[in-house]
Amino acid sequence: MIGDEPTWQDLDDLISHGGLTEQGVATVRWALARLRTLLGDSWLARQYRKQGRLPGELLLAGTHRYALPQALWFILRLDRAVTDPTFAKVKAEFRRGADSAMWRHALLQLEVARAVRDQGDDVVFEPAIPGSTRNGDLLVAGGTNRAWMVETTTVPRAAVDLQWQAYEDSFQTAIRQIELRHGVTCVVLLEDHMALDETRAWLAAVEDAAKSMISGSDVCTVRSEIGTVTAHREPVAVGTAVFTGAAQYRNGWQRLGRTLAAKAEQVRGPWPAWIRVDCLDGLFQFTDWMKMAPQDRLEAIAEAIRSNVQWPDNAEGVVLSTGPAVSLGATDRAAEEATVQTPDGAFVRRLLTPHLVRETLVVPLLGHSSDRAEWWLSAYAHEPEWLDQDLQAAGQPQLARLWKTAALPPHGVPVDGEVAPGAADRAADP
């Protein structure tokens, strides 16, 4: 399902083809030009060869509301980080092309660095840990406080989930290529997966259908035993879910517990340390835990983190997050945002941009001061403001001016009567 290596011109064609304003196209062209300058002309092909696809942030930035802000986050934060000499090692790895694990890790490092900047502190990338042969991910020099370390990690999906994701990513890439070749928009609904030969036959049928569509009102649905692809000659209505993957359900604590146990050993050293984890394995989305009230979730996860992991004395706490998660229809800040604090920690839910939501749990370990827990709470509570601040600093307009149709209403006013769901629907593609 993977075709020829993509080019920068292909990305330009994609952003020019979708739902961006003229200013939006200009801003994304500026951002892609910065990325090309920072990582080199040949980086796009190297990245494609490394992962077998392009990151969704870049591939879908011109047509998907949840992808554009993620592409801009990455490029703007990278542009800021490369001026820091301590980022040189990370940049060199990026230039060679990043596999999925490294991509997620670097994005999380850049995100935490942005949180540090939000709080007015300085950051060092990849600091050497005194008394060991290891390096940390970030060192925070926080004003009058002594330095403290952040170790970042992601709990990815299990091997079976990675195969699941690879299938859907490859399928989506093939659909995007069909859309680009024939000037159509496809709405995909998957209920399961099937063998590669059958999938190729289905995609070939979709391509034939797209090729045969002539009039602007043409709509053609191509069915298979695992779902449907509906091709539209005209753009679909704003808010339409253009790709719905097959449902998944997963165990919550098991893989997170193993990850935290490994990180507990890695952070051992002289600096106070926090673990910053993105849980992309379904803990927030696909378990009964996500149905619990925030205070109950905090109590349950705090008990597991404190009791089931052997923490070194310098470990102060854990910050868990969904990552930026797609929640289609989520546009009302008042409906989406929440802050809950209990003796077990803090829960923060924020609408980052229209259709992107993050849930974050800040869990200090027993016996440690809550000062840095408050630091994390303040940083992630302000996260929705970061992108427009960074666009302005780069001389670019605010996000709302980049889309053809306004998607973010005044504070507390829903769009077209939509009621946003209570939890993020799906973790954003890495």
Side-chain angles (χ1 to χ4, degrees):
M1 285 184 278
I2 292 178
D4 296 334
E5 290 182 352
T7 66
W8 294 100
Q9 184 59 50
D10 289 335
L11 288 183
D12 188 85
D13 291 342
L14 286 171
I15 66 173
S16 305
H17 185 70
L20 302 182
T21 62
E22 289 185 11
Q23 179 61 66
V25 171
T27 293
V28 179
R29 279 181 175 154
W30 167 85
L32 291 175
R34 287 298 304 147
L35 182 62
R36 189 173 184 176
T37 298
L38 294 171
L39 300 181
D41 284 346
S42 59
W43 174 78
L44 204 65
R46 288 197 301 273
Q47 181 60 39
Y48 183 81
R49 289 194 294 269
K50 192 75 172 183
Q51 282 192 321
R53 59 183 176 85
L54 286 185
E57 298 96 315
L58 303 181
L59 185 66
L60 305 175
T63 54
H64 291 61
R65 290 196 177 266
Y66 60 81
L68 174 61
Q70 294 184 85
L72 294 173
W73 283 331
F74 164 54
I75 296 169
L76 289 164
R77 292 170 187 174
L78 180 66
D79 198 20
R80 175 66 178 256
V82 294
T83 63
D84 185 335
T86 67
F87 189 73
K89 178 183 176 182
V90 182
K91 179 185 175 182
E93 293 174 345
F94 246 123
R95 284 177 61 88
R96 289 191 289 269
D99 61 18
S100 294
M102 186 207 158
W103 181 265
R104 288 191 299 265
H105 187 261
L107 290 185
L108 193 49
Q109 279 184 288
L110 290 170
E111 177 191 300
V112 173
R114 182 62 180 87
V116 172
R117 187 152 56 90
D118 178 76
Q119 295 299 289
D121 295 329
D122 296 322
V123 67
V124 175
F125 291 91
E126 304 286 333
I129 300 175
S132 79
T133 60
R134 303 186 308 276
N135 288 72
D137 288 325
L138 301 121
L139 184 67
V140 183
T144 58
N145 295 329
R146 67 190 180 102
W148 54 288
M149 185 174 70
V150 180
E151 187 72 11
T152 61
T153 189
T154 297
V155 182
R157 297 173 185 177
V160 63
D161 290 333
L162 291 176
Q163 294 171 5
W164 189 283
Q165 178 180 331
Y167 179 95
E168 297 199 355
D169 286 341
S170 188
F171 192 92
Q172 190 169 13
T173 297
I175 289 293
R176 295 295 293 138
Q177 292 171 344
I178 291 172
E179 290 177 326
L180 184 61
R181 283 193 292 269
H182 302 292
V184 299
T185 299
C186 292
V187 176
V188 179
L189 173 62
L190 297 181
E191 297 174 352
D192 203 346
H193 296 170
M194 63 184 177
L196 188 58
D197 287 346
E198 286 82 357
T199 302
R200 284 175 172 156
W202 185 20
L203 288 167
V206 173
E207 176 119 37
D208 289 342
K211 192 184 305 182
S212 68
M213 297 172 68
I214 299 174
S215 73
S217 60
D218 276 358
V219 176
C220 184
T221 297
V222 183
R223 294 179 173 82
S224 80
E225 63 188 58
I226 66 161
T228 62
V229 177
T230 303
H232 299 255
R233 177 60 66 185
E234 294 290 334
V236 298
V238 172
T240 300
V242 295
F243 189 94
T244 303
Q248 302 177 70
Y249 298 93
R250 293 294 174 259
N251 179 287
W253 168 255
Q254 184 178 11
R255 301 182 71 243
L256 173 60
R258 289 201 303 267
T259 298
L260 291 179
K263 286 298 177 182
E265 287 301 313
Q266 291 180 24
V267 301
R268 190 181 301 275
W271 292 318
W274 280 74
I275 315 296
R276 170 68 184 85
V277 187
D278 265 356
C279 298
L280 306 183
D281 64 333
L283 172 65
F284 282 82
Q285 291 87 5
F286 308 127
T287 66
D288 289 339
W289 185 68
M290 55 116 12
K291 302 174 185 176
M292 298 165 63
Q295 58 268 30
D296 295 330
R297 278 200 261 175
L298 277 167
E299 180 181 6
I301 203 67
E303 172 62 23
I305 288 172
R306 293 165 179 167
S307 301
N308 297 333
V309 178
Q310 295 297 313
W311 294 103
D313 291 341
N314 65 306
E316 289 192 347
V318 176
V319 179
L320 304 176
S321 169
T322 58
V326 177
S327 186
L328 295 175
T331 57
D332 178 6
R333 290 185 187 274
E336 295 299 327
E337 298 189 355
T339 302
V340 177
Q341 291 184 270
T342 77
D344 293 305
F347 168 91
V348 184
R349 179 180 170 89
R350 288 295 183 270
L351 181 68
L352 305 183
T353 69
H355 314 295
L356 272 180
V357 177
R358 181 196 297 279
E359 292 184 353
T360 304
L361 279 76
V362 181
V363 180
L365 299 178
L366 291 175
H368 286 282
S369 168
S370 62
D371 288 350
R372 275 186 274 271
E374 291 291 336
W375 185 100
W376 286 107
L377 173 60
S378 176
Y380 279 96
H382 294 149
E383 186 179 9
E385 304 164 15
W386 295 353
L387 181 53
D388 279 342
Q389 291 173 356
D390 294 346
L391 285 167
Q392 182 180 19
Q396 299 297 320
Q398 294 187 344
L399 178 66
R401 290 183 55 194
L402 307 184
W403 285 309
K404 283 184 178 177
T405 304
L408 186 62
H411 187 83
V413 179
V415 173
D416 297 331
E418 292 178 333
V419 178
D425 298 321
R426 176 183 173 187
D429 291 335

